[in-house]
């Protein structure tokens, strides 16, 4: 099967991720940072981002689901994997690959705030503003994109394409292929 054509290249992504990491490090200078990745989509971005944050960091992960087997968010977000250690009193950076309707992050930010971190900031690689249904305060944003169905660099279509090293738009005809 033909590989999808890059929409954001490895080079464009690496440049932006470096900038984000440097900005985050500057903003948290002199502090430790608890970085939390939202599984599964953020895992590639998360791994690259933390290597560009020159601070003492810890890593942890949250698992969520709202899509089930559907391609649209149900809005009913559930935590399927919780943090392994508390974040109370810590400076926290939540890292997500994409904001679509905003349901996932709206829920997660509220949930994490209740755990009383010293600070809580959000870093997102991709935002589709046209799809937003819930307000999501993004502190660090990689790219704003149109309403395209994107895969690669951690993002999937029916669990495939997460290992593409770049981000591609997947044509409708390819979405149902095995
Ligand atoms: C994707 C993405 C976000 C969420 C964004 O996850 O990684 O978590 O959807 O959508 P929203 O803004 O409409 O809530 P998905 O549920 O596809 O799981 P995955 O990360 O395991 O691929």
């Amino acid at each position: 099967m033909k590989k999808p054509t890059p929409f954001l290249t490895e080079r464009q992504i690496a440049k932006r991720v470096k900038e984000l990491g440097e900005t985050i490090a500057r903003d948290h200078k002199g502090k430790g940072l608890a970085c939390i990745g939202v599984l599964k989509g953020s895992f590639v971005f998360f791994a690259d981002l933390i290597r560009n944050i020159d601070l003492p960091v810890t890593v942890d992960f949250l698992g969520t689901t709202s899509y089930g087997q559907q391609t649209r968010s149900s809005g009913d977000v559930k935590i399927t994997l919780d943090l392994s250690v508390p974040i109370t009193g810590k400076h926290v950076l939540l890292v997500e690959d994409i904001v679509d309707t905003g349901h996932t992050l709206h829920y997660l930010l509220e949930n994490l705030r209740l755990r009383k971190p010293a600070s809580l900031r959000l870093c997102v690689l991709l935002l589709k503003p046209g799809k937003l249904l819930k307000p999501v305060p993004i502190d660090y944003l990689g790219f704003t994109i149109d309403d395209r169905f994107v895969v690669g660099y951690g993002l999937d279509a029916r669990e495939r394409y997460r290992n593409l090293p770049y981000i591609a738009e997947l044509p409708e005809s390819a979405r149902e292929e095995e």
Side-chain angles (χ1 to χ4, degrees), residues 38-48 61 153-154 162-163:
V38 185
L39 297 173
K40 302 176 203 168
S42 76
F43 79 107
V44 178
F45 173 47
F46 185 84
D48 283 347
F61 297 94
Y153 200 67
R162 292 196 198 271
N163 60 330

Side-chain angles (χ1 to χ4, degrees), residues 1-2 15 43 54 56 63 75 79 82-83 86 104 106 113 119 123 128 132 135 147 150 158:
M1 207 201 69
K2 200 170 143 269
K15 180 171 178 280
F43 79 107
D54 187 13
I79 290 184
D82 206 352
L83 298 176
T104 304
H106 185 82
R113 270 191 209 111
S119 67
C123 180
K128 287 188 194 174
L132 264 185
D147 184 14
V150 285
R158 291 155 52 113

Side-chain angles (χ1 to χ4, degrees), residues 155-170:
L155 287 93
D156 76 310
R158 291 155 52 113
E159 295 301 327
R160 287 195 49 206
Y161 302 105
R162 292 196 198 271
N163 60 330
L164 282 182
Y166 52 85
I167 293 172
E169 179 175 8
L170 199 64

Side-chain angles (χ1 to χ4, degrees), residues 38-41 64 66-67 73 96-104 156 162:
V38 185
L39 297 173
K40 302 176 203 168
T64 62
S66 72
Y67 281 64
S73 170
E96 178 63 293
D97 55 336
I98 190 163
V99 177
D100 200 339
T101 63
H103 283 309
T104 304
D156 76 310
R162 292 196 198 271

